[in-house]
Amino acid sequence: MLDSLIGFSILLLLILVFRVPIAFAMGLVGITGFAYLQGLGWDNVFDFRWTGPIALAANRIVDTSQEYSLSVIPLFILMGNFVTKANLSGELYRASNAFLGHRKGGLSMATIVACGGFSAICGSSLATSATMAKVAMPSMRKYGYQDGLASASIAAGSTLGILIPPSVILLIYGLLTETSIRELFAAGFLPGLLGILLYLAAVRYVVWRHPEYGPSAEKANFSERVAAMRNVWGVLLLFCIVMGGIYLGVFTPTEAAGIGAGGAFLIAVMRRSLSWSAFFHALIDTGRTTAMLFTVLIGALIFSDFITMAGLPDELLAFVKSLHLPPMGVILIIVGIYLVLGMVFESLSMILLTVPIFYPLVQSLGFDLVWFGIVVVVVTEISLITPPVGMNVFVLSAVLDNVKAGTIFKGITPFWCADMVRLGLIVFVSSIALVLPEILYR
Amino acid sequence: QTIRVASWLPPTNPMNAVVIPEWGKAISKATNGRLKVEIVYGMGHPKSMWNLVEDGIVDASYSYHGYVPGRFELPQVVEQPGLGTNAEAASYALWNTYQKYFAKSHEFDGLKLLALFTHGPGQIYSNFPIKDIKDLENKKIRIGGGVQSQLADRFHITPVGAPAPKVYEMMQQGVIDGAFLPVGEMKTLRLAEVTKDLTLFPNGLYMGSFSMFMNPDVFDDLSKQDQEAINKASGEVLSVLAGKAWDAGDVAGLQSAREAGVKIHVVKPNSTLAKEVNQRIDNVATEWVKGVDKKGFNGDAALSYLRETAMQYAAKHKE
Amino acid sequence: MSRSPYEWLTTAVNLHHGDLGLAKWLAFLLEAVSAVMLFALMVLTCSDVIGRYVFNNSINGTTELTELALGIIVFCQIPVVTLTGAHVVVDILDRVLPDWFATVCSFIMSLAIGIGCIFVADRIWFQALRSLRRGVVTEFLLIPVSYFVQFIAIMMYLTAAILIYKAITSLFCRKKEAA
Ligand code: NA
Ligand code: NA
């Protein structure tokens, strides 16, 4: 346990105080931590056999940067960039404003629903934040929304897709625990919906306390709404094709992303709204954002390799067992551990690290593994917006040049609270998760 | 001391549920508990396992040769269609054939080879019934590499290469219309939930070879006694153990396919479909022999020896 | 200069990285390669889907081409992201800590990470040669993977050089950054 804790502390120190880029900090701690486990000490730095630790990093770098399933990231970001650069996003928001603008915080709510839907299908929270940041942020600013609320809506909304099926994380959980994936997907649906509703409530709360954060506009009349719709039907159709295509199994997420990008490109070209310079800028910008995301992902993987090798998962299990708590107490402790790990981990590595260790215990206590899967995934979602390492928040602050991570974290507090409410509901009212699978499959 | 074995299949797969734990128990017992074996998950793509072990990141692992096209041609001797035994006999034969004919090859340089084995006979999972060989044409079928690429070519399917743990997602999303896999994955990868049809060919279409290996430096650092214990639990013994476990997995897989209501088509050996398939895959092995001959090994002799050994083993161990 | 036939090129280069001196040409070249690869990836994916539904024939080896393209897109950009200092950092404590502290940190950490990157790049290069020797190729198109791994190694060396260069200049250009 000690090795892992020291690793965590050094990582936090590097990231927070020494201001080392997250990716490098995680890689550095991962490599030296792993070397320490293999016998590195102060006295043998120069004759230590560094091959293992260095090769660990080398393998992760080469494999991750050529991982097929990650190709959704650049393609979806490219779609978002084309939509934005051709100024289609402005029109999208003009349309949402025509329909929802008269409500306080209406655009924020529209953003949450849009992000939830988009991340649900594209399957990557990071790609969703990066894409939607380009589409939503400039327009919300234009309509006078406060940066904190606007960016937090995107960051929080993008986490929803991990739970709403199809969900890669649930799938991996299912394989790890031998739980029905079909039931897991069904079980994820209502909690996902609940998440959207609670986020909307969080927006209502924010604009109730600070009406100036999400100002309302004049109510648009019918003909104004029709006019606004006329400009955006092409893009809306594209979104529908992309989303429907994945749900119906017409194409894979990567293919959908390619079609989305290609379609956005065609729409922009046909409307003559994409200059050469904007075209190149969209491509270059996409590449840059992709590279930033990949470096962070690679760093996170190296770091979690170190934690795996340090034996943290087994030690955590021993710790939980040693407390001799009643069953619900064990669950609460596990949830607590996940929340703490969530501060520094990226979602997938957290699942891979902990689930194989904890699920036999949970099962032996008589809990339903489908339900536990939903609990784990909800906590994982929360980790994406939990400081200090909230991956969604970083992506946003990196994509939006002049918004600081601190601002987003501040704006995200009400959403984080909404998530905790949801987590509590799902933990204590297990039927929220289990009612659908029971009706459909049991 | 703990030997960490990196694993990439789910915890319920025979590799993690049976093979590695039993191997570990044998070693632990022989060394009076000085050596312990532990499985670690989540270390990455199966194709990187050889590197992870060679570079000393983990102590041991196992992987599927088809995931690294071009590097492991020789163990494919067991993958050639027409062998006609179960995985246990095939694994026994593979280990011994490799020792006899290919021991001088450099395929496992930098690694200590612990076992060579195969999963059960490969069959076709699909979301459409296969009545005629033409039903397969232009369908997107997942293949695992190795000899399966050849089969894909002969059947005129559109091959999609992917490691086994990805198949559920791809079947569910319609990325693929089917997959080449042994029947056991119905259970361990939960594919019974997303597969409509399972077509069982007599003796299967192919086999798929794995190796299990260890870092030689880690091995050399052990005491003579402990090295002896590992050697005794590995090689032929471990290969047979693994083959047996995969066979048992197939039985369980077929069971869960039945329970889940997957339509199971058993192809009779003298049916038109079986004949058509045999015709298409007739000389697949010849291609492999040619490739191996070019590398300076006697492919023909190795293939005959393997088939003979496997048949003898199967005959001896029948009931 | 303004009469040069390549004026459009200079303009394009200056548009994004006018402030980087000579390095702007390198940045521009890398970005251009990554942009072309990205667009090609988009076209490839679309053609694959269209081919499948319209002509009932998808492109063999799309997966492996996608993987190789992804590696190029990412690794063309990593040196540029490093050069422009666009990596994801946590800025929560920025206002609390003194300026000199940030400078010292940036020097030490850039240097350490830069040196670390050299070792990692070395290892990647070594692994590339190893897999070349062992004849590792892609499944359908039989492309030798090692050349792409070597490319990644070169880009890692470049990233390392940039980090070390930045570490050194951070000591001298403190005022300029503050301004
Ligand atoms: Na999803
Ligand atoms: Na977090």
Side-chain angles (χ1 to χ4, degrees):
Chain A
M1 186 90 81
L2 195 63
D3 296 341
S4 321
L5 286 182
I6 294 174
F8 276 115
S9 322
I10 295 179
L11 177 66
L12 291 183
L13 194 72
L14 286 181
I15 296 177
L16 291 175
V17 181
F18 292 85
R19 212 177 182 277
V20 180
I22 294 178
F24 292 137
M26 294 211 247
L28 196 65
V29 176
I31 293 174
T32 34
F34 186 65
Y36 169 75
L37 293 177
Q38 290 199 331
L40 173 74
W42 292 113
D43 48 336
N44 63 354
V45 174
F46 292 103
D47 25 283
F48 178 74
R49 227 175 84 86
W50 279 96
T51 316
I54 299 284
L56 173 83
N59 274 318
R60 282 299 190 189
I61 289 171
V62 172
D63 292 351
T64 312
S65 64
Q66 302 187 353
E67 162 80 43
Y68 178 75
S69 56
L70 293 179
S71 58
V72 291
I73 292 180
L75 289 171
F76 270 128
I77 296 176
L78 183 61
M79 172 180 170
N81 269 332
F82 278 146
V83 167
T84 316
K85 290 283 183 305
N87 205 23
L88 299 170
S89 59
E91 292 179 359
L92 265 177
Y93 269 78
R94 206 167 306 141
S96 344
N97 200 39
F99 284 87
L100 296 163
H102 59 285
R103 320 193 106 195
K104 278 207 171 65
L107 283 185
S108 251
M109 297 186 184
T111 302
I112 284 172
V113 175
C115 287
F118 193 87
S119 67
I121 52 133
C122 105
S124 160
S125 293
L126 302 187
T128 308
S129 332
T131 310
M132 295 304 280
K134 289 288 168 61
V135 181
M137 198 62 192
S139 317
M140 282 203 277
R141 272 188 177 160
K142 204 180 122 203
Y143 288 100
Y145 277 62
Q146 185 239 11
D147 276 359
L149 175 63
S151 53
S153 309
I154 302 170
S158 308
T159 64
L160 290 165
I162 302 185
L163 185 58
I164 302 173
S167 152
V168 177
I169 300 269
L170 275 179
L171 188 112
I172 288 166
Y173 175 89
L175 290 180
L176 287 174
T177 60
E178 217 188 12
T179 312
S180 164
I181 292 154
R182 205 160 55 176
E183 289 184 15
L184 281 168
F185 280 8
F189 197 74
L190 286 183
L193 224 54
L194 182 67
I196 294 187
L197 292 179
L198 285 170
Y199 280 165
L200 295 184
V203 175
R204 290 302 290 263
Y205 170 82
V206 172
V207 292
W208 172 64
R209 291 301 305 269
H210 308 278
E212 73 281 9
Y213 282 8
S216 57
E218 295 262 314
K219 189 165 183 168
N221 61 32
F222 183 74
S223 66
E224 279 169 331
R225 288 183 174 179
V226 172
M229 278 307 284
R230 197 176 299 142
N231 286 325
V232 296
W233 68 267
V235 183
L236 285 183
L237 181 69
L238 184 67
F239 271 89
C240 291
I241 291 176
V242 168
M243 292 196 185
I246 300 185
Y247 261 116
L248 298 175
V250 180
F251 27 70
T252 68
T254 299
E255 290 170 350
I259 294 282
F265 175 67
L266 277 186
I267 293 176
V269 167
M270 282 192 303
R271 300 178 64 177
R272 292 166 200 279
S273 50
L274 190 69
S275 66
W276 274 105
S277 145
F279 170 69
F280 275 117
H281 210 242
L283 287 169
I284 287 171
D285 213 65
T286 306
R288 186 177 313 156
T289 312
T290 307
M292 285 182 330
L293 292 184
F294 271 71
T295 10
V296 175
L297 268 177
I298 292 169
L301 285 168
I302 296 172
F303 182 70
S304 73
D305 281 344
F306 154 61
I307 294 293
T308 310
M309 289 301 178
L312 179 70
D314 287 311
E315 284 160 357
L316 284 179
L317 180 67
F319 166 71
V320 173
K321 279 185 172 162
S322 71
L323 293 175
H324 300 293
L325 289 168
M328 202 27 110
V330 172
I331 295 289
L332 290 180
I333 288 286
I334 292 180
V335 167
I337 290 175
Y338 271 94
L339 286 175
V340 174
L341 291 182
M343 297 203 308
V344 278
F345 273 113
E346 167 270 339
S347 44
L348 183 62
S349 31
M350 200 154 92
I351 298 274
L352 286 173
L353 221 65
T354 54
V355 166
I357 305 302
F358 280 134
Y359 91 88
L361 176 66
V362 172
Q363 195 172 26
S364 70
L365 293 173
F367 289 105
D368 189 307
L369 281 184
V370 171
W371 165 80
F372 183 64
I374 303 301
V375 171
V376 167
V377 171
V378 170
V379 190
T380 308
E381 279 184 333
I382 298 176
S383 78
L384 288 170
I385 53 172
T386 307
V389 186
M391 217 60 104
N392 271 7
V393 175
F394 293 146
V395 170
L396 269 186
S397 70
V399 174
L400 306 169
D401 291 331
N402 35 17
V403 182
K404 295 210 158 200
T407 314
I408 308 177
F409 276 129
K410 222 176 276 166
I412 227 155
T413 317
F415 296 92
W416 193 83
C417 295
D419 266 339
M420 297 312 284
V421 172
R422 174 163 62 126
L423 182 61
L425 282 173
I426 294 170
V427 167
F428 289 108
V429 190
S430 62
S431 50
I432 297 176
L434 293 178
V435 64
L436 270 188
E438 264 163 19
I439 293 174
L440 290 173
Y441 303 120
R442 288 183 180 177
Chain B
Q1 195 182 341
T2 311
I3 299 176
R4 288 168 194 267
V5 186
S7 184
W8 45 275
L9 281 163
T12 49
N13 184 280
M15 285 310 294
N16 303 317
V18 181
V19 181
I20 300 172
E22 288 210 4
W23 180 67
K25 248 184 255 162
I27 292 173
S28 202
K29 205 171 150 208
T31 59
N32 292 323
R34 283 192 302 279
L35 288 183
K36 238 175 53 184
V37 169
E38 191 183 293
I39 303 178
V40 285
Y41 293 98
M43 295 300 295
H45 194 286
K47 72 177 175 204
S48 0
M49 295 301 141
W50 284 281
N51 280 348
L52 293 190
V53 173
E54 183 172 1
D55 298 336
I57 298 160
V58 289
D59 305 325
S61 185
Y62 64 94
S63 196
Y64 188 75
H65 298 128
Y67 295 154
V68 196
R71 180 167 169 192
F72 302 103
E73 304 257 301
L74 302 175
Q76 284 183 30
V77 64
V78 78
E79 301 190 359
Q80 306 308 315
L83 178 59
T85 66
N86 62 8
E88 184 187 343
S91 303
Y92 171 84
L94 173 60
W95 174 263
N96 286 302
T97 308
Y98 203 92
Q99 298 308 315
K100 188 168 154 100
Y101 287 90
F102 304 137
K104 285 207 188 73
S105 84
H106 296 284
E107 286 183 335
F108 293 96
D109 276 4
L111 297 164
K112 175 181 167 54
L113 187 62
L114 295 173
L116 284 166
F117 51 94
T118 156
H119 60 52
Q123 308 286 10
I124 304 184
Y125 293 41
S126 54
N127 56 18
F128 58 92
I130 303 168
K131 298 256 159 56
D132 188 281
I133 190 142
K134 291 228 166 60
D135 291 340
L136 280 168
E137 278 174 21
N138 284 320
K139 289 286 196 304
K140 280 171 298 156
I141 309 283
R142 173 270 173 184
I143 63 164
V147 78
Q148 299 169 48
S149 309
Q150 287 273 338
L151 299 184
D153 200 38
R154 304 293 170 94
F155 292 161
H156 305 298
I157 61 176
T158 303
V160 181
K166 293 236 166 186
V167 175
Y168 187 103
E169 187 186 347
M170 298 169 86
M171 283 290 261
Q172 212 222 10
Q173 292 173 340
V175 181
I176 48 176
D177 306 307
F180 286 174
L181 281 170
V183 182
E185 305 299 2
M186 280 287 179
K187 182 171 158 63
T188 54
L189 293 180
R190 308 202 65 82
L191 291 173
E193 289 177 16
V194 288
T195 309
K196 286 207 187 99
D197 299 85
L198 172 66
T199 311
L200 297 176
F201 291 89
N203 295 322
L205 287 176
Y206 64 92
M207 298 290 220
S209 62
F210 294 82
S211 51
M212 190 156 158
F213 37 84
M214 186 173 177
N215 183 298
D217 296 333
V218 172
F219 183 80
D220 290 341
D221 286 347
L222 297 173
S223 70
K224 272 267 150 6
Q225 264 180 314
D226 293 359
Q227 289 182 356
E228 194 49 42
I230 291 183
N231 280 337
K232 241 179 147 178
S234 310
E236 189 185 296
V237 183
L238 182 58
S239 307
V240 169
L241 171 69
K244 219 187 233 170
W246 281 98
D247 281 333
D250 281 358
V251 176
L254 194 59
Q255 176 68 20
S256 62
R258 280 214 185 89
E259 279 164 14
V262 178
K263 274 179 252 146
I264 300 170
H265 313 279
V266 181
V267 180
K268 302 225 168 59
N270 50 4
S271 64
T272 341
L273 179 56
K275 279 180 193 149
E276 281 174 333
V277 166
N278 283 337
Q279 211 174 8
R280 294 271 179 109
I281 60 181
D282 192 24
N283 57 349
V284 167
T286 332
E287 301 268 321
W288 175 83
V289 169
K290 251 190 251 162
V292 172
D293 285 350
K294 230 181 269 166
K295 291 194 167 175
F297 295 96
N298 191 343
D300 229 355
L303 186 61
S304 332
Y305 179 77
L306 176 114
R307 288 185 170 163
E308 208 174 297
T309 318
M311 282 313 205
Q312 275 169 9
Y313 183 93
K316 209 166 98 191
H317 288 77
K318 216 172 214 173
E319 258 75 58
Chain C
M1 186 73 183
S2 64
R3 292 211 166 258
S4 151
Y6 299 111
E7 190 190 323
W8 64 272
L9 187 58
T10 322
T11 322
V13 171
N14 284 330
L15 184 65
H16 297 303
H17 299 301
D19 54 332
L20 289 181
L22 276 179
K24 71 189 176 189
W25 290 96
L26 179 66
F28 179 77
L29 176 72
L30 290 174
E31 287 188 327
V33 174
S34 114
V36 171
M37 289 310 292
L38 180 60
F39 194 72
L41 177 61
M42 183 188 95
V43 173
L44 172 74
T45 320
C46 290
S47 330
D48 187 39
V49 177
I50 293 168
R52 190 166 78 229
Y53 286 102
V54 183
F55 306 105
N56 197 19
N57 191 3
S58 51
I59 306 166
N60 272 11
T62 314
T63 316
E64 54 201 56
L65 286 177
T66 304
E67 289 172 352
L68 298 176
L70 190 61
I72 295 180
I73 294 168
V74 169
F75 270 91
C76 276
Q77 285 280 2
I78 285 182
V80 183
V81 171
T82 311
L83 189 64
T84 52
H87 281 295
V88 185
V89 291
V90 181
D91 48 17
I92 299 176
L93 294 184
D94 269 15
R95 264 171 255 161
V96 190
L97 298 165
D99 259 7
W100 65 264
F101 182 75
T103 312
V104 172
C105 286
S106 144
F107 170 73
I108 296 174
M109 294 318 297
S110 297
L111 197 63
I113 295 165
I115 292 169
C117 280
I118 295 178
F119 287 108
V120 175
D122 259 346
R123 188 72 203 170
I124 295 176
W125 185 264
F126 169 84
Q127 289 186 349
L129 293 183
R130 191 169 72 181
S131 73
L132 186 67
R133 214 166 47 233
R134 289 171 179 170
V136 179
V137 290
T138 60
E139 181 77 48
F140 302 112
L141 305 175
L142 307 179
I143 306 167
V145 186
S146 18
Y147 297 127
F148 293 83
V149 181
Q150 279 178 319
F151 169 77
I152 292 177
I154 293 170
M155 289 298 124
M156 285 292 292
Y157 280 124
L158 186 57
T159 308
I162 292 171
L163 279 167
I164 294 169
Y165 170 78
K166 288 192 84 164
I168 295 166
T169 50
S170 75
L171 281 188
F172 302 109
C173 310
R174 206 178 124 196
K175 285 219 178 89
K176 211 163 119 195
E177 261 180 41

